[in-house]
Amino acid sequence: MKTLRKGRLRVRFDRQASVIGMMEWFAGQDIPVLPIHGVANGCCTCGDAECASPGKHPISSMVPHGVKDATTDVKAIRRWHRKCPDMNYAVATEGLAVIDCDSKEALRAFRSGYHPPPTFTVKTSRGFHFYYRGEMPARNAARSKLDVKSGPGCYVVGPCSMHASGAIYALWEDEPMADLPQNVATITERRDDPPEAGGGGPIPVGLRNSTMTQFAGYMHAKGVSQPAVLETLKTLNRTMSEKPLPDREVRQIARSVSRYPVKALPQIIPFSEIPEERLDFLWYPYICLGTLGLLDGDPGDGKSQLCVWLCARLSRGDKLPNGDRFEPANCFLFNFEDLPGAVIRKRLEANGADLSRVFIQSRQFQLTAEMVEWMDGEIAEKKPRLVILDPIQAFMSGVDGNSNIDVREFMSRLGEIAMNRKCAIICVRHFGKGAQDKAMKKGLGSTDFVGISRNQFGLARRSDGPRGFIVFHMKTNFEGGLSMLFKMGDADGRIGEQPEISFEKFTDITADDFFAGEVVPRGPDQDEREVAKEYLLEALAGGPKAAAVLKSQGEARAISASTLDRARKELGITTAKQGKIWNWSLPPE
């Protein structure tokens, strides 16, 4: 959009539209692209505040195999962009050579020393990317402040992406991509490292590096030692290359490939060789250690209260209803919806928790591949018996919650952590609005949430009079348990009190029977607005918050953006813009 103000032409740059447009353009040139994390407020969207490569590494939930999953499929590209519209993207360099000059001096040396022809050129934060058709050996620091990205396994950040500094990778020269000049193709050859004698083989110059990397990877996967891999590559390089690589580069290929751990191939074995295992229950028959569970329910009915009650009992080593006694245990209570000090701590205190044994996150994070590894390490160190993720949708940035494939991959990683660390992980989820033939299908998102969970619980407000909730054991891979009635004690919210939760009794009411009544269309009715109001009052109690954050967290609680806006207007919540961000705050008293 262009506007004229005070004699100046101002242009608003729609980066999201430009990113998807450039990705589709590359795909039309038969050049694969892949999604990489973006940059928000100078930080990588992967969620790691100390990310070593902000805005430059693949979004593993979309491309689990990295650059190998790069594609020219426009439908896949658009699907990626819909899931993560603020992402950056990368251009895979298979069939390409990209010269990355990272300083003015490197640019002058490249132009004066090689006289490159005009070609497709991108302005980076500190230099330029020159794109050429053809391949050459890839090498970082091939010259001072000059890198070469080329061939399979490499990529460069694409034009219209955002650098961590805030600069945009800009299309500088919209020329057709020139063929790789022969003199430029020699830029990675070291003058102080002459090539091996020999040559004349069938492996062309542009494919030497990638071919030997593939051979090295195959041998490494078969358990061949690094010295043996190196000697084989030397022979292959000397006898099969059209022009042998320098010996130093061959050693680097062998060393790099050997760094990756070797995954053992599966074996087919009879059950007579399978050792017998014993199930270790944290709370028989409801929660089994080493498994992944699911807790579903409507917003505001008591899911988070039940989670706090569980953590409090476990932290003290209190016997659970019909359960066995155990030693006091650590718990992770990851909660993105409630205020840690004003709400969650008060709930824990009301239920008598040992606060030194219940842990919460210091800031919100997304369970990207990197953060899954971080969480696994924290669980290994602090050894919690129970880990709660409340609500699970808030942790799933870039994951399509309605896709069976995406959900199964995401939940499988959590299941592996639970199994390896001998803890129980419970994911909290909200009910959807549509009618279902079975209670276990009421939760938001893909049915694979249920399919991959070993236990599934449903929670609803009690309909028999007392204030509290009923918990159903809706699905289990072991043995089903009776439903349970819980009471909520009195508390004065005006002075910050939170209710004590107490177990009352078991009941044989089933979830299907309980929810079998006629479904009343909810829509944006008064009840739903009341839930939205409660959420806003609680979320804004500590001060202003970004509207985008409130809507994202509201969506995770099954509160639509339109319902949230209606609740905002009824509460008289004020809005104010700070920089580019709209904030909401409670009205002055």
Side-chain angles (χ1 to χ4, degrees):
M1 177 188 293
K2 299 179 180 179
T3 57
L4 190 63
R5 291 185 180 179
K6 296 182 179 180
R8 293 183 179 181
L9 183 66
R10 302 176 69 115
V11 179
R12 181 187 299 169
F13 176 61
D14 188 343
R15 195 182 74 83
Q16 293 182 359
S18 299
V19 164
I20 186 64
M22 286 303 307
M23 292 176 76
E24 292 180 0
W25 181 84
F26 276 108
Q29 301 292 312
D30 202 28
I31 299 172
V33 294
L34 66 149
I36 58 178
H37 281 287
V39 174
N41 299 321
C43 297
C44 186
T45 57
C46 72
D48 183 357
E50 299 181 359
C51 178
S53 187
K56 292 185 178 181
H57 59 103
I59 302 176
S60 57
S61 60
M62 298 184 186
V63 281
H65 304 105
V67 70
K68 292 181 180 179
D69 291 333
T71 186
T72 58
D73 184 351
V74 174
K75 289 183 178 179
I77 292 169
R78 291 173 179 171
R79 185 169 62 250
W80 290 337
H81 195 260
R82 283 196 302 272
K83 288 183 182 179
C84 193
D86 292 327
M87 71 181 191
N88 285 341
Y89 75 100
V91 180
T93 58
E94 183 171 1
L96 298 178
V98 179
I99 310 300
D100 178 8
C101 296
D102 210 20
S103 70
K104 293 180 180 179
E105 293 75 19
L107 177 63
R108 284 196 294 267
F110 174 61
R111 283 178 167 165
S112 62
Y114 295 90
H115 305 287
T119 189
F120 187 87
T121 307
V122 174
K123 177 73 173 69
T124 66
S125 64
R126 291 176 295 191
F128 291 88
H129 285 167
F130 296 88
Y131 286 69
Y132 294 100
R133 296 273 187 182
E135 291 186 4
M136 58 190 291
R139 177 179 288 157
N140 291 330
R143 294 288 185 269
S144 177
K145 296 292 183 179
L146 185 148
D147 300 332
V148 176
K149 306 292 185 183
S150 182
C154 291
Y155 64 82
V156 292
V157 179
C160 299
S161 296
M162 180 179 290
H163 189 265
S165 64
I168 301 296
Y169 290 76
L171 181 58
W172 194 256
E173 292 186 11
D174 191 11
E175 297 279 349
M177 290 186 194
D179 290 334
L180 178 64
Q182 185 58 41
N183 66 322
V184 173
T186 64
I187 201 170
T188 52
E189 291 186 359
R190 297 180 184 268
R191 296 172 184 174
D192 60 346
D193 193 4
E196 290 275 329
I203 302 176
V205 169
L207 294 178
R208 295 172 300 178
N209 194 289
S210 60
T211 300
M212 275 182 272
T213 299
Q214 291 174 356
F215 268 88
Y218 175 80
M219 289 186 286
H220 179 54
K222 292 294 184 181
V224 179
S225 66
Q226 181 179 338
V229 170
L230 176 58
E231 290 305 315
T232 304
L233 291 184
K234 285 182 176 180
T235 302
L236 178 68
N237 181 51
R238 184 173 59 253
T239 61
M240 299 294 288
S241 292
E242 180 182 29
K243 183 179 181 182
L245 288 168
D247 187 61
R248 182 181 300 176
E249 188 160 341
V250 177
R251 290 197 302 271
Q252 177 60 35
I253 293 173
R255 187 163 52 246
S256 297
V257 170
S258 297
R259 290 195 188 111
Y260 293 94
V262 177
K263 287 188 176 181
L265 295 174
Q267 296 178 327
I268 306 299
I269 55 177
F271 271 97
S272 59
E273 297 181 15
I274 300 294
E276 185 177 349
E277 296 176 296
R278 180 182 176 86
L279 296 175
D280 188 4
F281 280 91
L282 187 62
W283 182 16
Y284 178 82
Y286 300 101
I287 302 177
C288 184
L289 293 173
T291 64
L292 184 66
L294 200 62
L295 171 60
D296 293 339
D298 274 324
D301 279 0
K303 299 185 303 299
S304 297
Q305 296 277 11
L306 176 65
C307 292
V308 165
W309 176 82
L310 269 172
C311 290
R313 300 296 292 262
L314 292 173
S315 71
R316 296 195 312 259
D318 287 352
K319 183 178 178 181
L320 294 165
N322 277 6
D324 297 322
R325 293 200 175 276
F326 49 83
E327 295 296 320
N330 288 347
C331 302
F332 282 4
L333 180 55
F334 294 140
N335 182 306
F336 285 2
E337 295 188 336
D338 301 310
L339 295 172
V343 177
I344 302 176
R345 178 179 175 131
K346 297 290 187 183
R347 288 175 179 171
L348 289 166
E349 290 173 341
N351 287 278
D354 179 351
L355 297 182
S356 68
R357 287 189 171 275
V358 185
F359 298 82
I360 191 170
Q361 78 285 343
S362 62
R363 64 171 180 82
Q364 294 191 12
F365 60 90
Q366 302 294 313
L367 280 175
T368 60
E370 296 86 355
M371 294 306 289
V372 167
E373 292 181 7
W374 165 82
M375 188 174 75
D376 184 33
E378 291 295 314
I379 292 173
E381 178 183 344
K382 294 181 175 63
K383 297 180 172 56
R385 303 279 274 176
L386 177 65
V387 177
I388 292 172
L389 301 169
D390 181 11
I392 187 59
Q393 281 90 351
F395 295 83
M396 298 174 63
S397 176
V399 178
D400 185 352
N402 294 307
S403 165
N404 284 342
I405 295 174
D406 283 8
V407 168
R408 179 161 289 271
E409 180 181 353
F410 178 84
M411 296 290 279
S412 293
R413 295 202 301 266
L414 299 181
E416 289 176 3
I417 292 176
M419 180 178 62
N420 294 335
R421 302 304 178 189
K422 301 300 180 186
C423 66
I425 298 179
I426 294 180
C427 302
V428 179
R429 195 173 58 145
H430 297 300
F431 281 153
K433 298 178 182 178
Q436 299 290 344
D437 57 342
K438 287 185 175 294
M440 67 168 58
K441 298 179 182 178
K442 286 175 64 63
L444 284 175
S446 160
T447 55
D448 269 23
F449 277 113
V450 179
I452 206 163
S453 298
R454 302 302 88 189
N455 281 290
Q456 181 196 14
F457 301 94
L459 183 147
R461 291 184 185 181
R462 291 179 64 160
S463 58
D464 58 347
R467 181 168 175 256
F469 47 83
I470 182 170
V471 179
F472 306 99
H473 199 191
M474 298 195 297
K475 178 239 176 173
T476 179
N477 283 61
F478 312 115
E479 179 181 344
L482 290 170
S483 300
M484 296 173 284
L485 291 171
F486 287 82
K487 282 185 177 181
M488 297 176 67
D490 294 328
D492 189 348
R494 291 172 297 181
I495 60 174
E497 289 183 352
Q498 290 290 327
E500 179 183 0
I501 307 300
S502 60
F503 170 80
E504 183 181 354
K505 64 180 180 180
F506 292 101
T507 175
D508 58 3
I509 300 174
T510 66
D512 287 335
D513 290 339
F514 186 89
F515 294 111
E518 183 180 356
V519 177
V520 179
R522 292 169 57 188
D525 59 15
Q526 186 64 28
D527 289 341
E528 191 168 339
R529 285 202 299 277
E530 289 303 319
V531 172
K533 288 179 185 178
E534 291 178 10
Y535 159 65
L536 286 175
L537 289 172
E538 187 175 286
L540 295 174
K545 274 194 175 180
V549 173
L550 290 167
K551 290 181 179 181
S552 175
Q553 294 177 354
E555 184 179 353
R557 300 179 68 151
I559 302 173
S560 67
S562 58
T563 301
L564 208 61
D565 278 327
R566 280 189 287 269
R568 173 184 62 81
K569 293 175 182 178
E570 291 184 16
L571 290 172
I573 287 173
T574 59
T575 62
K577 193 172 185 181
Q578 185 176 4
K580 298 181 179 180
I581 300 174
W582 282 97
N583 291 319
W584 290 3
S585 58
L586 293 177
E589 296 182 358

